[in-house]
Amino acid sequence: QVQLVESGGGLVRAGDSLRLSCAVSGRTSDTYGMGWFRQAPGKEREFVAAIIWTGNVTPYADSVKGRFTISRDDAKTTVYLQMNSLKPEDTAVYYCAAKGSGPVSSGRSYPYWGQGTQVTVSS
């Protein structure tokens, strides 16, 4: 089992920055990496970014590329999502998830999920 707890969400204005954190505990040795997803009201959950332990690969969704950065501490106990130049369309509940096997951008590849943290960006 892997436990995940997100924090750092809030209400900001367009153009501002936020950093989300995801505290990771449990059997992280069973995971291939970590990902961030988001879900806006009335929309499907979408992939945002991931960090793959092997090679430290960090794929991003096109909608956040160049604005968001995913990183982790060396002990893999915390994963971060630095979000810059936020836009109203970034408003969503953000979830971190621990990756198993499967495509990096598919939620089905992530067997463990946090409870989510709300990010609201006003115009």
Side-chain angles (χ1 to χ4, degrees), residues 63-84:
S63 59
V64 306
K65 201 172 294 183
R67 299 189 297 122
F68 290 12
T69 303
I70 188 170
S71 63
R72 62 170 175 86
D73 66 353
D74 289 342
K76 301 179 187 176
T77 58
T78 308
V79 177
Y80 305 97
L81 186 68
Q82 177 67 42
M83 305 186 295
N84 298 330

Side-chain angles (χ1 to χ4, degrees), residues 22-75:
C22 177
V24 185
S25 60
R27 292 176 59 89
T28 57
S29 59
D30 293 344
T31 65
Y32 291 84
M34 293 291 298
W36 285 95
F37 288 75
R38 66 187 182 186
Q39 187 166 20
K43 295 187 176 181
E44 294 187 354
R45 181 180 61 195
E46 64 174 355
F47 169 77
V48 175
I51 184 163
I52 308 303
W53 305 143
T54 303
N56 217 31
V57 176
T58 54
Y60 293 90
D62 288 344
S63 59
V64 306
K65 201 172 294 183
R67 299 189 297 122
F68 290 12
T69 303
I70 188 170
S71 63
R72 62 170 175 86
D73 66 353
D74 289 342

Side-chain angles (χ1 to χ4, degrees), residues 89-111:
E89 50 263 44
D90 294 319
T91 295
V93 177
Y94 283 70
Y95 299 90
C96 68
K99 189 183 181 304
S101 59
V104 67
S105 61
S106 172
R108 296 180 181 181
S109 302
Y110 297 77

